[in-house]
Amino acid sequence: SYNYVNQVMCASKRAKELVRQILTFSQQIEPERQIMDVGIAVVEAIRLLRATLPSNIEIRHDVLTDDRLVLADAGQIHQVLMNLGTNALHAMKDEGGVLTIELESIHIDENDETKSPYLVAGQYVRLRVGDTGVGMNDRTIEQIFNPFFTTKEIGEGTGLGLSVAHGIMTSHHGAITVTSELGVGTTFELLLPIAVDDEEVSPKKTDVDLRGDEHILCVDDEEMIVTMIKSALEDFGYQVTICSSGLVACELVRANPHGYDVLITDQMMPHMLGLELVSSLRALAFKAPVILFSGFGNEITEDEATAAGVEIVLAKPVNLEDLARAIRQVLNDERTPR
């Protein structure tokens, strides 16, 4: 009937948008990074957002367009800004409110307790995008950067926008964080390192061979993610066994204690966290090196990782080439600081 056909068409349209975002999320091409003024990108994003504003939402901004030079892919930074802006508008669409955008330069010290473990000390551009919308509870905040998690209705979002933004900021050696309160609003904070003189536009390439034939055990409760990792690592030549829980992983290791050369595990999983899994396997005399995925809201410190027997911690979402490089590092005992 017409209703069934209409549902198929809607599902197809949603699938098309999902595939487009997955391709953006997983692209392996080198970004076209240039020295750029973040303020100019912000002003352009504000201009586009104003065109979509309903009359009950106001934009307030404090943005200068000088001395905010970073080494970045302008298209990717613009993508992040527009995503945050449209999310803010969605949070205020019913009651209206104020969208606030602020840009400033700050210095982050090595001993700064608020510093993300993935940032180095130095000069940064800090961009805050805040709204006075509905806000989020702690459970939502913990998952907000996870792929495919969304609070929007079916047809309004795929849940990839913020995970893509997180990946973009991480690839630019920056960070994205969020604070929120129900009924008060949400603020996203972006940090990008200020460019130094004579910094190369393109990241240096490596001659390291990323291929291998070792056997890898990969554990993640998200079936789509673990299947994607399996396919990618098999393309690199590895044997890959996947499972969706730490309990199953323990049984696999008990049955074949010396059958795996590397363990890759997510931290946030039901029944057993990643660090708990690693501790359990170490108690079973599991000697293989471990790579742990740590998502937003559950960052693992170096001391915590080392104490649990983890060699490398990778921030989610993870670039597949970076994962392959980490595997070679732990197998060759070329461990780098986390």
Side-chain angles (χ1 to χ4, degrees), residues 17-160:
E17 176 64 15
L18 181 60
V19 170
R20 185 188 67 78
Q21 293 194 47
I22 289 174
L23 291 174
T24 299
F25 176 66
S26 61
Q27 63 185 346
Q28 299 298 310
I29 60 173
E30 294 286 353
E32 297 180 359
R33 294 181 182 172
Q34 300 177 349
I35 300 296
M36 60 171 286
D37 188 330
V38 178
I40 294 176
V42 173
V43 169
E44 178 61 23
I46 291 174
R47 185 180 298 117
L48 292 175
L49 289 170
R50 284 191 189 281
T52 63
L53 275 177
S55 58
N56 62 348
I57 295 179
E58 173 188 2
I59 292 184
R60 298 175 186 171
H61 60 85
D62 182 9
V63 178
L64 299 177
T65 56
D66 60 312
D67 261 344
R68 305 294 196 279
L69 300 180
V70 299
L71 182 66
D73 182 313
Q76 289 187 332
I77 299 303
H78 186 266
Q79 178 184 358
V80 172
L81 297 176
M82 291 302 297
N83 179 268
L84 294 182
T86 53
N87 278 357
L89 299 185
H90 184 271
M92 299 184 288
K93 65 179 182 180
D94 294 329
E95 302 296 331
V98 178
L99 172 63
T100 303
I101 301 176
E102 300 172 332
L103 184 68
E104 62 180 341
S105 299
I106 65 168
H107 180 79
I108 295 180
D109 295 321
E110 189 63 48
N111 297 324
D112 187 347
E113 294 182 358
T114 64
K115 181 177 77 68
S116 166
Y118 309 111
L119 296 180
V120 298
Q123 291 293 122
Y124 285 80
V125 172
R126 179 167 66 188
L127 175 69
R128 287 195 176 104
V129 179
D131 66 64
T132 57
V134 295
M136 297 180 288
N137 58 32
D138 292 342
R139 175 64 175 166
T140 299
I141 292 174
E142 289 175 358
Q143 303 180 78
I144 198 68
F145 293 117
N146 290 343
F148 308 110
F149 175 79
T150 180
T151 59
K152 297 177 181 177
E153 298 292 332
I154 293 177
E156 291 185 339
T158 61
L160 279 173

Side-chain angles (χ1 to χ4, degrees), residues 152-171:
K152 297 177 181 177
E153 298 292 332
I154 293 177
E156 291 185 339
T158 61
L160 279 173
L162 288 175
S163 65
V164 170
H166 185 281
I168 289 173
M169 296 304 296
T170 301
S171 72

